[in-house]
Amino acid sequence: MFHYTVETAKTFEDTLIALKESLKDHKFGVLWEMDVPVTLQSKGFDFTKKYQILEVCNPNQAYKAISQNSLTGYFLPCKIVVYEEGDKTRIGLPKPTVMMDFVNDATIKEIAHEVEDELISAVNEAL
């Protein structure tokens, strides 16, 4: 499976707050956020589902990865999505290990494992 996705009993808003705090504790910064319904509605689409995309980065890991292999920049920053599906709030991310398989570099695979483990921990702590 290319992604890691979990459900939480928290509200959408509480999930976003908890996730951002947890990411900070794991040394990831939120570089950018996209409020999907606001963006799509501004373009004339009737999209009301709560859906937020976060681009996150751990500068130390990004430095190690890009210094090792410039192609890793194609997959940075990492994305995490928070959305409602029915009456459930979900948090999901594409697994860095799967994405970095395209680079075909053993050292990058190790870095991707470290990043993935930290992101999954941050997500799980936000539940």
Side-chain angles (χ1 to χ4, degrees):
M1 199 175 296
F2 80 94
H3 65 95
Y4 178 78
T5 304
V6 292
E7 290 182 359
T8 178
K10 291 181 180 175
T11 66
F12 178 83
E13 292 77 11
D14 288 345
T15 300
L16 276 173
I17 292 167
L19 178 60
K20 289 175 188 177
E21 284 300 314
S22 183
L23 286 165
K24 189 185 309 179
D25 291 344
H26 286 268
K27 301 194 180 358
F28 282 86
V30 176
L31 304 175
W32 179 78
E33 294 181 55
M34 179 181 182
D35 187 328
V36 175
V38 167
T39 300
L40 293 178
Q41 289 168 14
S42 75
K43 303 299 181 190
F45 295 97
D46 184 25
F47 188 87
T48 58
K49 178 179 181 175
K50 291 184 179 181
Y51 203 105
Q52 192 92 0
I53 300 171
L54 307 178
E55 287 193 340
V56 303
C57 183
N58 175 309
N60 183 53
Q61 295 290 28
Y63 171 78
K64 287 184 348 186
I66 292 173
S67 295
Q68 171 67 27
N69 189 319
S70 296
L71 294 175
T72 60
Y74 292 13
F75 302 102
L76 299 178
C78 297
K79 287 192 174 24
I80 300 181
V81 177
V82 178
Y83 61 100
E84 284 187 345
E85 193 74 47
D87 61 348
K88 303 284 186 189
T89 301
R90 294 188 177 160
I91 309 170
L93 61 114
K95 291 181 177 178
T97 54
V98 174
M99 303 305 290
M100 291 304 168
D101 277 345
F102 292 108
V103 177
N104 196 24
D105 181 321
T107 301
I108 294 301
K109 188 71 170 187
E110 289 175 30
I111 296 168
H113 271 288
E114 293 170 8
V115 170
E116 186 172 303
D117 290 346
E118 286 296 318
L119 287 174
I120 288 173
S121 291
V123 165
N124 289 339
E125 288 170 19
L127 299 177

